[in-house]
């Protein structure tokens, strides 16, 4: 553990064990961990199950509240809570997306979405919970409309990537969808006036983008900056003029701001931007690193510095890192070692 300005330390709160294969992804319930509601976390695994973990308010320790099984027949690759925290979407290598509803603490599979030809790699709800995006190895991105009674209708199938699509992510304030792929690009999708979705921008090597598979992306709270990570061992920061975009002047393009390289020496699988502006990254070198914008006033525009690293956060690859929505600075990480870890970023007094 090394702190670069002495301001932070990373405390391992608890190791959550139970999965019998690698853990691919973790997702915090956005309606939990605030206003006295115990924090809740979902994790999904190569063992074909999803586990829901909850923090015990009295002891602060974490326990497995539910195991969601006997639905997916292959690896569960991705999980995402709806904004209300009532629904959980899970995407699987069995080519389906399952929708689970929390009914009085019990989770029931209330819908199964079929359409992808093979492995579903990522699922994501938009900010209002009215749309769900999925993507997969079949190179397509699907947008589903959420209807009453837990019905889902395919609104659009987006073709444009030439390889496996690794992740879909909605913009935090606008219904604009981002996807990243094995084809080394990030594609940005928007709806025109006729309910047709189309690609409005492609971020590739030609405009400052990555030179290998793009694994993940995340936005800052304001939605005017985006961070991406790649098999090319770099993390890139992008920005747009969100005020201009919000004013309804049409699409405003994203541009590359800076590249962070030389920090991870193996594939970077996950990045996530905290509400406070701290970027966490997890990689195949078993490490988690933390970055913040440097306030040095560089003439070349914004730059970022590493403030903390844990070289051996897990025994194997770190597949996912996610900041909590709650009052605590919790970070969850998922690994090929079959565990989920809860960390807390604490200021060094």
């Amino acid at each position: 553990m090394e702190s670069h300005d002495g301001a932070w330390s990373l405390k391992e709160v608890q190791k959550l064990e139970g999965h019998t294969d690698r853990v691919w992804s973790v997702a915090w319930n956005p309606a939990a961990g605030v206003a006295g509601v115990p924090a809740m976390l979902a994790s999904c695994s190569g063992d074909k199950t999803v586990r829901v973990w909850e923090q015990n308010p009295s002891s602060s320790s974490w326990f497995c509240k539910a195991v969601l099984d006997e639905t997916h027949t292959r690896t569960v690759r991705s999980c995402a809570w709806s904004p209300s925290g009532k629904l959980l979407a899970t995407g699987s290598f069995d080519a389906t997306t399952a929708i689970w509803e929390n009914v009085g603490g019990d989770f029931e599979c209330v819908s199964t979405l079929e359409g992808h030809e093979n492995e579903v790699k990522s699922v994501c709800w938009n900010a209002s919970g009215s749309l769900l995006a999925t993507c997969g190895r079949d190179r397509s991105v699907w947008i589903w409309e959420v209807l009453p009674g837990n019905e889902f209708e395919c609104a659009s199938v987006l073709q444009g990537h030439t390889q496996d699509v690794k992740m879909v992510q909605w913009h935090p304030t606008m219904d604009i969808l981002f996807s990243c792929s094995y084809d080394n690009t990030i594609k940005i999708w928007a709806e025109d006036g006729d309910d047709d979705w189309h690609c409005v921008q492609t971020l590739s090597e030609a405009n400052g983008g990555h030179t290998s598979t793009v694994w993940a992306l995340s936005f800052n709270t304001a939605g005017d900056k985006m961070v991406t990570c790649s098999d090319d061992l770099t993390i890139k920061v992008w920005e747009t003029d969100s005020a201009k975009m919000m004013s309804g002047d049409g699409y405003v393009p994203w541009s590359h701001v800076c590249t962070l390289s030389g920090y991870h020496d193996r594939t970077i699988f996950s990045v996530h931007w905290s509400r406070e502006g701290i970027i966490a990254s997890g990689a195949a070198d078993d490490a988690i690193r933390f970055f913040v914008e440097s306030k040095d006033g560089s003439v070349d525009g914004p730059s970022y510095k590493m403030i903390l690293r844990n070289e051996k956060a897990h025994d194997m690859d770190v597949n996912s890192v996610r900041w909590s929505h709650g009052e605590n600075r919790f970070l969850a990480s998922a690994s090929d070692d079959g565990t989920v870890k809860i960390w807390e970023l604490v200021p060094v007094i």
Side-chain angles (χ1 to χ4, degrees):
M1 182 63 59
E2 184 179 336
S3 171
H4 282 250
D5 59 5
W8 301 98
S9 71
L10 188 67
K11 184 177 92 179
E12 184 179 325
V13 177
Q14 196 171 332
K15 179 160 72 171
L16 309 181
E17 296 176 292
H19 284 295
T20 56
D21 201 327
R22 69 183 60 180
V23 187
W24 278 109
S25 181
V26 285
W28 294 92
N29 186 320
V34 290
V37 179
M40 185 184 287
L41 178 75
S43 60
C44 58
S45 166
D47 66 10
K48 309 175 193 174
T49 74
V50 179
R51 283 178 173 258
V52 178
W53 311 85
E54 192 172 85
Q55 190 178 26
N56 182 325
S58 55
S59 67
S60 294
S61 66
W62 294 79
F63 67 97
C64 182
K65 182 183 174 70
V67 179
L68 315 186
D69 57 6
E70 296 179 358
T71 294
H72 289 300
T73 57
R74 293 184 61 196
T75 289
V76 187
R77 179 66 179 83
S78 175
C79 55
W81 297 94
S82 64
S84 69
K86 289 186 168 62
L87 298 177
L88 178 69
T90 57
S92 169
F93 285 5
D94 66 13
T96 72
T97 298
I99 308 295
W100 307 81
E101 185 175 12
N102 184 353
V103 183
D106 290 326
F107 291 85
E108 299 172 10
C109 182
V110 293
S111 196
T112 303
L113 313 185
E114 296 177 347
H116 283 285
E117 291 170 23
N118 41 42
E119 290 93 329
V120 179
K121 295 294 180 78
S122 175
V123 293
C124 184
W125 305 83
N126 70 341
S128 67
S130 62
L131 298 170
L132 178 73
T134 62
C135 66
R137 192 163 70 87
D138 63 7
R139 304 180 294 207
S140 71
V141 173
W142 289 54
I143 295 175
W144 306 82
E145 195 175 341
V146 185
L147 304 175
N150 293 322
E151 294 288 325
F152 290 76
E153 185 178 272
C154 176
S156 194
V157 178
L158 309 177
Q159 308 282 1
H161 284 293
T162 58
Q163 298 285 344
D164 184 358
V165 188
K166 297 294 187 189
M167 187 183 203
V168 279
Q169 195 72 35
W170 290 96
H171 187 271
T173 60
M174 294 177 282
D175 283 341
I176 297 174
L177 183 65
F178 293 67
S179 58
C180 54
S181 168
Y182 190 63
D183 66 12
N184 309 350
T185 72
I186 298 138
K187 286 188 177 286
I188 305 169
W189 311 85
E191 195 178 16
D192 60 23
D194 302 322
D195 292 343
D196 282 331
W197 290 81
H198 59 281
C199 180
V200 291
Q201 191 178 4
T202 300
L203 304 177
S204 63
E205 190 177 351
N207 46 13
H210 292 286
T211 58
S212 189
T213 301
V214 188
W215 278 96
L217 64 100
S218 177
F219 297 95
N220 67 345
T221 306
D224 61 347
K225 290 191 175 71
M226 170 174 68
V227 61
T228 59
C229 66
S230 169
D231 187 51
D232 66 11
L233 311 186
T234 71
I235 294 169
K236 289 179 182 282
V237 177
W238 310 77
E239 68 180 5
T240 189
D241 185 339
S242 62
K244 197 171 169 187
M245 207 185 296
M246 295 290 279
S247 68
D249 289 348
Y251 179 75
V252 181
W254 289 76
S255 56
H256 172 256
V257 174
C258 66
T259 298
L260 288 69
S261 57
Y263 294 104
H264 288 283
D265 55 18
R266 293 186 64 192
T267 302
I268 307 164
F269 289 128
S270 186
V271 281
H272 199 229
W273 216 319
S274 80
R275 290 191 318 269
E276 297 164 313
I278 302 170
I279 297 168
S281 64
D285 57 10
D286 314 342
I288 297 174
R289 289 175 171 75
F290 298 89
F291 304 89
V292 294
E293 188 171 343
S294 179
K295 302 297 184 193
D296 298 342
S298 161
V299 290
D300 302 325
S303 63
Y304 289 74
K305 63 179 181 181
M306 182 165 68
I307 57 164
L308 196 64
R309 63 184 179 188
N310 186 332
E311 294 292 352
K312 201 66 183 164
H314 282 273
D315 294 335
M316 296 170 75
D317 295 10
V318 180
N319 294 317
S320 180
V321 287
R322 282 286 178 280
W323 294 101
S324 67
H325 306 268
E327 285 111 5
N328 294 61
R329 284 192 197 89
F330 284 139
L331 180 85
S333 59
S335 170
D336 277 3
D337 66 15
T339 71
V340 172
K341 287 187 179 181
I342 309 287
W343 309 85
E344 189 172 9
L345 199 59
V346 289
V348 176
I349 306 303

